[in-house]
Amino acid sequence: MGAMTDPSPWWSRAVFYQVYPRSFRDSNGDGVGDLDGVTAGLDYLADLGVDALWLNPVTVSPMADHGYDVSDPRDIDPLFGGIEALDRLVAAAHERGIRITMDLVPNHTSSAHPWFAAALAAGPGSAQRARYLFRDGTGPGGVNPPNNWISIFGGPAWTRVVERDGAPGQWYLHLFDPEQPDLNWDNPEVFEDLEKTLRFWLDRGVDGFRIDVAHGMAKPPDLPDMQLAENKLLADMDSDPRFNHEGVHDIHRNIRAVLNDYPDAVAVGEVWVYDNAAFAAYLRPDELHLGFNFRLVRAEFGADEIRDAIENSLAAVALQDATPTWTLSNHDVEREVTRYGGGPLGLARARAMALVMLALPGVVFVYNGEELGLPNVDLPDEVLQDPVWERSDRTERGRDGCRVPLPWSGDAPPFGFSTTADTWLPMPADWASSTVERQLADPESTLHFFRRALRLRRDRSGVVGAELTGLSSEDGVLTVQTEGGLRCVLNAGAHPVDLPAGEVLLTSAPLQEHSPSLRSPRPGRLPPNAAAWVL
Ligand code: NOJ
């Protein structure tokens, strides 16, 4: 591993596969996926052709937000198999040339973290409280929260504590769940502890991190009120005082200084910042290696919208000569099959968009189940687990629908995911046709399609995923052209279109034959909601 002669880092055109560990594969029959389950799936992932994994949080947690509430950042939760299971996974992945990156959650801890317990016990004004954002309330007796900030999950971003004498006391800030108190990043102890965590995992052989809420952490000192109009997880947060405060860049510089001691390590930040210059600031040479660009996630299925998303993503990274990243979905958003219309239409569009994404230069993130063409699942109220559901007074269903366990084999739930049918989220019976087993047996399946696309991206790297030489949209047709002459054509319009002359490397749907009388040298016609790679 680590090509000594290649000046570009291993991740510069990597395909990352995002594993939501609860939902990938369960090795011990408790209905929840775990790290030995991921290890058992490594051959599947190697055959798929991925270069690296991003594991959603597996550190010790009460799981109020499924691991994004960390109570010990330097150990693995027993639910996922403990630290030995991580060691086994890292070793087995490295044997197959697959890198492992972990989620790092620096914006907040769990309320079960020993620091928070100590802060509650120590009282106002103490050094223990100074690791978090405790403030006195406003109004008579401090009955009102210190400002009007609301939690991303709904409800106020402040919770009032009861002091040791039993009286109502100070308030603490939590941009997410009350069980996720925000850390005070002005306190040097907070970074000292994060540095320990970074080195702990890197010394154990982990290859890098996905940094949660990488545009959070720093807060404006006076904590000014926010505009309350928009408070969605995906909302445009550029003018939101809760995020993207200038001080965050010093934090990233400090993180990078540690990572520089591990030359192969990579950090990719979750940066929900839309202005190109503001986004690019996170990618300065001494900050993050990579930033998630969510423009493709937000784009409607339309040639102009997708061209605009690609153009802006490239323009942003160009400002810092950084590497672009692409993603169509993750554990926080509705799966793209559903976003694009659901059913066969949604699936056709999702496959087409996968070809567009995989044609682009830089780093690609594939979310587990995307390669199976899984849709979002409409779950009944009583099984919902995402804190968003309760925190929004049951007005937002939350993100469980994109987190349902993966179907591996067999004709009925749990489809080989687990040995118990009592999986942490129920699996739909009609996923029988989407299992890995069924798709491996069908050469036209979405799984085989992804395998072919990933293989071409790896084997034909001079053309697939090479630098762009052209990008246009006209009459519902998007054309992406790369160095080496690949044309990726996406037909987002209503009628079949002619493809350019050349060798068809891959299509997301069967082409339509020209009428034989035409004797065209061109390949067949590309139907609507499909894409093709032509060389
Ligand atoms: C972003 C993560 O992707 C999401 O799942 C989580 O709930 C929040 N950050 C809070 O950590």
Side-chain angles (χ1 to χ4, degrees):
M1 303 223 321
M4 303 298 281
T5 49
D6 184 352
S8 51
W10 65 266
W11 42 263
S12 62
R13 46 174 289 113
V15 175
F16 279 74
Y17 183 91
Q18 179 191 349
V19 175
Y20 197 67
R22 297 180 83 81
S23 297
F24 184 74
R25 201 152 152 165
D26 172 19
S27 75
N28 66 351
D30 64 358
V32 181
D34 47 47
L35 289 174
D36 284 328
V38 182
T39 304
L42 280 175
D43 286 331
Y44 166 77
L45 296 171
D47 289 344
L48 181 59
V50 306
D51 302 298
L53 307 188
W54 151 31
L55 303 171
N56 285 105
V58 287
T59 42
V60 181
S61 165
M63 306 288 168
D65 186 21
H66 295 328
Y68 284 102
D69 47 320
V70 180
S71 53
D72 182 352
R74 296 187 283 279
D75 199 357
I76 301 292
D77 200 280
L79 184 70
F80 296 121
I83 201 153
E84 295 79 15
L86 184 86
D87 291 342
R88 287 191 286 274
L89 171 60
V90 170
H94 286 175
E95 271 169 31
R96 291 164 178 80
I98 295 176
R99 316 267 183 161
I100 299 288
T101 62
M102 293 176 77
D103 227 306
L104 186 77
V105 190
N107 180 71
H108 44 265
T109 69
S110 162
S111 54
H113 190 291
W115 274 8
F116 196 72
L120 291 184
S126 61
Q128 288 83 345
R129 285 216 175 164
R131 293 172 180 142
Y132 293 92
L133 291 159
F134 280 86
R135 294 284 186 278
D136 293 333
T138 56
V143 289
N144 299 319
N147 72 13
N148 75 347
W149 290 10
I150 43 186
S151 151
I152 296 291
F153 292 166
W158 296 93
T159 291
R160 193 168 195 188
V161 302
V162 176
E163 301 297 357
R164 267 192 308 183
D165 59 4
Q170 287 195 300
W171 297 74
Y172 69 91
L173 180 71
H174 51 87
L175 293 187
F176 297 91
D177 199 73
E179 293 179 57
Q180 294 167 295
D182 279 52
L183 286 161
N184 171 17
W185 272 90
D186 291 330
N187 185 335
E189 274 187 75
V190 172
F191 180 74
E192 280 161 25
D193 191 71
L194 187 81
E195 173 167 1
K196 278 191 208 154
T197 301
L198 292 168
R199 292 191 188 278
F200 181 86
W201 296 115
L202 292 167
D203 289 339
R204 257 188 134 81
V206 165
D207 300 290
F209 302 96
R210 175 267 192 187
I211 302 186
D212 188 59
V213 203
H215 59 314
M217 299 184 273
K219 310 288 186 307
D222 47 342
L223 302 178
D225 278 353
M226 63 181 283
Q227 312 266 334
L228 291 174
E230 273 274 41
N231 187 46
K232 292 251 164 66
L233 203 60
L234 310 187
D236 181 341
M237 293 165 173
D238 282 4
S239 56
D240 184 332
R242 296 172 302 173
F243 297 97
N244 193 30
H245 179 62
E246 183 53 34
V248 74
H249 294 290
D250 284 337
I251 300 171
H252 285 299
R253 277 187 276 272
N254 289 337
I255 293 175
R256 180 60 176 263
V258 174
L259 294 189
N260 284 344
D261 286 346
Y262 304 80
D264 263 356
V266 64
V268 50
E270 183 200 26
V271 182
W272 286 100
V273 171
Y274 296 103
D275 175 73
N276 285 345
F279 179 84
Y282 287 81
L283 302 176
R284 286 177 279 198
D286 57 351
E287 297 196 35
L288 289 164
H289 301 89
L290 297 168
F292 272 105
N293 193 309
F294 294 112
R295 283 180 187 269
L296 274 190
V297 172
R298 288 159 52 99
E300 301 269 315
F301 185 81
D304 295 342
E305 289 84 347
I306 295 161
R307 179 188 43 71
D308 180 74
I310 296 173
E311 231 164 52
N312 274 291
S313 304
L314 292 173
V317 291
L319 293 172
Q320 292 297 337
D321 202 14
T323 303
T325 68
W326 310 101
T327 183
L328 292 172
S329 62
N330 63 33
H331 64 294
D332 289 330
V333 300
E334 193 173 46
R335 284 190 180 272
E336 63 270 43
V337 169
T338 305
R339 285 204 318 270
Y340 297 148
L345 172 69
L347 179 59
R349 289 176 166 177
R351 285 170 62 139
M353 281 304 296
L355 275 197
V356 172
M357 173 171 79
L358 289 166
L360 296 169
V363 177
V364 172
F365 291 85
V366 173
Y367 175 49
N368 61 194
E370 186 171 336
E371 79 281 15
L372 302 176
L374 297 183
N376 244 58
V377 180
D378 265 332
L379 294 162
D381 292 2
E382 62 277 11
V383 305
L384 294 181
Q385 304 207 12
D386 187 349
V388 168
W389 174 236
E390 293 298 340
R391 293 281 296 164
S392 69
D393 288 331
R394 304 191 166 201
T395 57
E396 305 264 348
R397 303 191 68 73
R399 301 158 292 177
D400 296 310
C402 68
R403 299 174 174 179
V404 172
L406 263 53
W408 289 88
S409 59
D411 296 318
F415 296 118
F417 162 74
S418 176
T419 50
T420 173
D422 191 17
T423 51
W424 77 277
L425 287 173
M427 303 174 69
D430 66 2
W431 278 11
S433 54
S434 302
T435 62
V436 170
E437 183 182 47
R438 283 274 192 102
Q439 297 207 31
L440 284 177
D442 171 9
E444 301 309 317
S445 67
T446 300
L447 176 55
H448 274 295
F449 163 73
F450 263 88
R451 282 162 55 139
R452 283 194 283 271
L454 263 52
R455 195 160 309 140
L456 283 166
R457 191 179 154 94
R458 188 177 276 180
D459 294 348
R460 310 291 286 265
S461 56
V463 292
V464 180
E467 292 303 309
L468 290 206
T469 54
L471 178 66
S472 62
S473 64
E474 211 182 325
D475 296 336
V477 178
L478 171 84
T479 306
V480 178
Q481 194 160 338
T482 70
E483 266 172 16
L486 182 82
R487 274 116 340 133
C488 172
V489 182
L490 170 77
N491 184 359
H495 308 288
V497 295
D498 283 329
L499 285 175
E503 179 198 354
V504 177
L505 295 184
L506 187 60
T507 62
S508 66
L511 297 181
Q512 297 178 356
E513 294 296 322
H514 285 292
S515 81
S517 58
L518 266 178
R519 291 244 183 80
S520 169
R522 289 166 175 264
R525 311 193 83 201
L526 184 67
N529 306 307
W533 286 350
V534 183
L535 188 57

